[in-house]
Amino acid sequence: SGGSGGAAPGPELGPAEEGEGCEGLWELPVERCERRPECGRCSRPQKVCLCPFLPVHPLKISTCLYIIQHPAEESRVLRTVPLLAACLPPEKCKILVGRRFSEDRYPGLASVCRNPNTLILYPGAEATNLEDVPVLSSSPSILIIIDGTWSQAKDIFYKNALFRLPKQVQLKTSYSSQYVIRTQPTNTCLSTLECAAVALTIMEKNKSIQETILHPLQALCSFQLQHGAQIHHSKEHLLKNGLYDKPMPKNKRKLRRMELLVNNVKI
């Protein structure tokens, strides 16, 4: 592929001149771009494996998580879902990747969504605080979490009728995100791993779960900061402190959302 390197173009070469001085260059091996070997458990490059910070054995929980992951999250380097999955038994953490989930294509998921013990974690006026939801001891609970940016999660939630069948819940917490190497909309917006950690602690009535699941995330952020990463303050923090250095959006709806962030209005 040709790139514009900024150098002035040289004179065109005739057929006889093209190969002059290039003998041997054609025989040089082509350098292949290969991904670094990844750890099979934490999905991190082997040189920066986070397995020492994971629990020795998967956590024993009765709740089953369904992570609905936007396809764009699969390619992110600093994603948290592989760390979450590595903390839990495989049968308790199921990951489905996609944007659209119809009953025809996903009959198993449709059955899960119709289960009376299934909850979906998505904030909003219709959501009940998870702390106020009675946990039925007769059969295990199921929790659905959407993994993606806020706009991606909103798109998935509202364009898939299946996800409005379960009881909608939200986290009422003052916990501030420790995922400081990625920008969040507000100070209390949490990563998927953090949402799962807080939710499972509530549902399982076991405070140690949160500490165990957050341990690899803390190690990841610490490692990245030690190797040149910068702390990412939330968009809310940047706007309130006059530190937001990007052009303000021209779209009135987006501009209104940013005004609400500054004025502490829940959006």
Side-chain angles (χ1 to χ4, degrees):
S1 59
S4 54
E12 290 187 10
L13 300 177
E17 296 172 283
E18 269 188 338
E20 288 183 12
C22 296
E23 293 87 1
L25 286 179
W26 315 119
E27 299 173 7
L28 288 175
V30 177
E31 186 176 337
R32 293 183 180 178
C33 183
E34 294 183 0
R35 295 188 65 176
R36 291 179 291 176
E38 289 186 349
C39 169
R41 186 181 181 198
C42 70
S43 299
R44 293 275 295 160
Q46 289 177 356
K47 287 186 177 180
V48 287
C49 170
L50 291 175
C51 287
F53 304 95
L54 296 172
V56 177
H57 303 290
L59 292 171
K60 291 183 179 180
I61 57 171
S62 59
T63 306
C64 182
L65 292 185
Y66 274 79
I67 307 297
I68 306 301
Q69 187 175 72
H70 190 279
E73 285 295 314
E74 276 190 302
S75 58
R76 288 190 183 274
V77 176
L78 300 175
R79 58 198 192 279
T80 65
V81 167
L83 297 178
L84 170 63
C87 291
L88 304 174
E91 69 275 10
K92 295 295 184 181
C93 186
K94 304 179 187 297
I95 302 168
L96 297 176
V97 180
R99 293 185 180 89
R100 300 292 174 261
F101 297 87
S102 65
E103 187 163 357
D104 292 340
R105 290 186 62 193
Y106 295 89
L109 178 63
S111 177
V112 165
C113 290
R114 287 193 167 84
N115 187 322
N117 290 328
T118 298
L119 308 172
I120 185 163
L121 187 63
Y122 190 85
E126 304 295 320
T128 303
N129 292 333
L130 182 58
E131 295 90 335
D132 300 332
V133 176
V135 179
L136 302 175
S137 56
S138 56
S139 57
S141 297
I142 300 169
L143 180 66
I144 298 173
I145 302 177
I146 302 174
D147 179 47
T149 64
W150 284 94
S151 60
Q152 290 166 352
K154 183 178 181 180
D155 179 73
I156 289 174
F157 181 74
Y158 284 106
K159 291 186 178 178
N160 289 284
L162 282 180
F163 297 141
R164 286 186 300 288
L165 293 175
K167 188 176 184 65
Q168 186 180 342
V169 296
Q170 63 188 2
L171 297 175
K172 183 184 177 182
T173 176
S174 57
Y175 174 84
S176 293
S177 177
Q178 296 184 37
Y179 192 28
V180 295
I181 54 176
R182 190 166 167 182
T183 304
Q184 304 289 0
T186 72
N187 298 330
T188 54
C189 287
L190 306 180
S191 66
T192 301
L193 177 143
E194 290 172 306
C195 286
V198 174
L200 286 174
T201 295
I202 295 168
M203 297 174 76
E204 300 285 322
K205 296 181 170 57
N206 184 347
K207 291 184 178 179
S208 68
I209 289 176
Q210 183 171 325
E211 182 181 345
T212 301
I213 294 179
L214 291 180
H215 196 39
L217 177 67
Q218 293 161 349
L220 170 64
C221 293
S222 177
F223 177 84
Q224 294 298 128
L225 293 173
Q226 288 170 19
H227 290 79
Q230 300 294 315
I231 290 179
H232 287 226
H233 293 290
S234 69
K235 190 180 289 187
E236 174 190 15
H237 174 90
L238 296 175
L239 287 167
K240 285 183 177 179
N241 292 278
L243 301 172
Y244 192 76
D245 57 1
K246 295 182 180 179
M248 297 299 282
K250 294 180 181 179
N251 181 294
K252 289 184 178 180
R253 183 177 58 82
K254 290 184 178 179
L255 193 59
R256 177 58 179 159
R257 286 176 64 84
M258 294 179 82
E259 289 173 355
L260 294 175
L261 283 178
V262 175
N263 295 319
N264 266 340
V265 177
K266 194 170 184 181
I267 57 175

